[in-house]
Amino acid sequence: MTVTYIGHSGFSVELERCTLLFDYYQGAMPAFDPDKKLYVFASHAHHDHFVPAIFELRGRYDVTYILSDDIRASGEDILFLGPNQTAQTGGLTVETLRSTDEGVAFSVTVGETRVYHAGDLNLWVWDEEGPEWNAQMERDYPAFLRPFDGRRFDLAFLPLDPRQEQDRERGLLGFLTHCQAEHIFPMHMWDDYSVIPALLAHHPELKDRVAVIEAPGQIFEL
């Protein structure tokens, strides 16, 4: 499979029979194989996860959109999903989790391949929010992940947000206490890629699993 980092939380995953596009909002769109079905995901309506420009792919590709139900859009080619739902479309099984921010996280199963994209489901601990907010977040994050306990993912796209400073790694590491992931792609980094080598310095046991992203457009052959 081929994974392309487009920017922020935007990635494409090219598989044998289809291509998945997650949370595109800016950057150079890859040239997708026109002979493969294209599935476009948007985890929620925030401007850094969804832009209407994704609908310009209509007519250029055989495309189906799988969108969080907080997004306002229309079309027969759109499947809207809320939290904790399961749907099948084409050869895909799509499952969602409730986000600790807005929208959903996605699990996508294609044949034997399983992909997880967190959207904004993360342990969003912020000093400025105060102890009550953060205590609720500490309860919600593992609770929202619990439906996927014990699952194995080939790919997991997980937030590693530098704005969280000393707490930025906790969501990613917390996910790995619930699920296994063969390949981990940090995201939501706001172009500060230094957080990846910092993560690996703190957790060298992850060095063979974490993708070292350095710039938009980077391609990973797995």
Side-chain angles (χ1 to χ4, degrees):
M1 76 183 77
T2 301
V3 177
T4 301
Y5 170 63
I6 303 171
H8 197 54
S9 299
F11 291 85
S12 67
V13 180
E14 184 176 358
L15 302 171
E16 183 178 356
R17 296 183 180 178
C18 67
T19 301
L20 316 177
L21 174 64
F22 292 98
D23 280 20
Y24 173 83
Y25 95 103
Q26 67 177 13
M29 191 84 74
F32 304 116
D33 186 339
D35 295 326
K36 293 184 179 181
K37 176 75 176 182
L38 176 62
Y39 296 93
V40 178
F41 296 81
S43 64
H44 60 293
H46 284 173
H47 79 280
D48 60 324
H49 292 263
F50 164 76
V51 289
I54 61 173
F55 298 117
E56 296 173 8
L57 296 167
R58 287 169 168 157
R60 297 167 54 196
Y61 301 98
D62 179 10
V63 59
T64 293
Y65 297 90
I66 303 170
L67 310 180
S68 170
D69 64 4
D70 67 323
I71 294 172
R72 298 294 171 257
S74 61
E76 295 182 357
D77 53 0
I78 300 176
L79 172 63
F80 290 102
L81 293 176
N84 302 112
Q85 291 189 328
T86 300
Q88 294 187 344
T89 179
L92 273 62
T93 299
V94 183
E95 299 167 87
T96 62
L97 294 178
R98 179 182 174 186
S99 176
T100 46
D101 189 354
E102 298 290 338
V104 300
F106 292 111
S107 168
V108 184
T109 303
V110 187
E112 299 299 315
T113 301
R114 181 173 280 169
V115 179
Y116 175 81
H117 190 284
D120 269 356
L121 174 54
N122 188 36
L123 186 58
W124 295 115
V125 170
W126 304 103
D127 289 343
E128 61 270 25
E129 293 291 351
E132 188 172 328
W133 162 281
N134 289 326
Q136 186 64 51
M137 185 62 62
E138 298 269 12
R139 292 190 292 270
D140 285 347
Y141 185 60
F144 293 178
L145 284 173
R146 196 161 293 129
F148 287 179
D149 274 359
R151 292 204 183 181
R152 176 197 164 277
F153 292 94
D154 297 279
L155 303 176
F157 300 100
L158 302 170
L160 186 63
D161 194 316
R163 301 173 302 168
Q164 289 190 272
E165 299 179 337
Q166 73 276 5
D167 295 305
R168 65 179 177 264
E169 299 171 2
R170 295 182 60 198
L172 185 152
L173 298 173
F175 174 83
L176 296 176
T177 68
H178 289 263
C179 302
Q180 300 177 48
E182 185 172 352
H183 299 285
I184 299 164
F185 285 81
M187 64 179 189
H188 215 275
M189 295 175 288
W190 300 103
D191 298 323
D192 181 1
Y193 306 110
S194 68
V195 294
I196 298 178
L199 168 69
L200 295 177
H202 299 155
H203 297 278
E205 71 278 8
L206 296 178
K207 68 180 180 66
D208 293 330
R209 298 161 63 194
V210 171
V212 179
I213 296 171
E214 297 174 329
Q218 194 169 349
I219 296 173
F220 300 84
E221 299 287 351
L222 305 176

